[in-house]
């Protein structure tokens, strides 16, 4: 959203992340979630390599590194995507999109809809 859009919009249509204090809080919460999930991804990678070692026997170093990176980065990617969904929902971005969509395409159920 551009700065000139924010000045012309009514207060109730503004994006909550336009407030710098709330934006800092939301992004700090997102980073904290990612730090925790980095630890979970590392544990999942170690568990996957250990399970393969136990089931197959000693692994080549390349196989162990590839497995650890594949599992760890997959878990971390899932955490990033889910974290962005939570960030979008928790900060009101989803509600803002719904408001703009209803304003651009009013339905018959909306009593304030233009004819």
């Amino acid at each position: 959203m551009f700065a000139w859009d924010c000045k012309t919009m009514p207060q109730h249509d503004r994006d909550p992340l336009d407030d710098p204090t709330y934006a800092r809080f939301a992004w700090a919460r997102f980073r904290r979630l990612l730090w925790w999930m980095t630890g979970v991804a590392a544990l999942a990678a170690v568990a996957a390599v250990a399970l393969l070692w136990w089931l197959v026997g000693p692994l080549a170093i390349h196989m162990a590194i590839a497995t650890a990176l594949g599992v760890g980065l997959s878990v971390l990617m899932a955490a990033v995507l889910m974290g962005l969904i939570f960030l979008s929902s928790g900060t009101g971005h989803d509600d803002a999109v719904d408001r703009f969509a209803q304003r651009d395409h009013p339905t018959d159920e909306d009593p304030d809809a233009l004819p």
Side-chain angles (χ1 to χ4, degrees), residues 8-88:
T8 60
M9 270 198 290
Q11 184 64 34
H12 65 280
D13 283 344
R14 288 195 179 176
D15 192 345
L17 283 184
D18 288 338
D19 177 19
T21 305
Y22 189 72
R24 260 187 260 107
F25 168 74
W27 283 106
R29 184 177 54 186
F30 177 71
R31 282 190 296 273
R32 188 172 53 245
L33 170 78
L34 286 187
W35 278 113
W36 278 103
M37 289 309 296
T38 301
V40 170
L43 287 175
V46 168
V49 171
L51 181 65
L52 275 177
W53 190 288
W54 183 65
L55 291 174
V56 178
L59 300 173
I61 188 70
H62 296 95
M63 177 70 164
I65 291 172
T67 301
L69 284 175
V71 170
L73 291 177
S74 295
V75 171
L76 197 56
M77 179 61 74
V80 167
L81 293 174
M82 288 300 295
L84 288 174
I85 290 171
F86 295 148
L87 180 71
S88 173

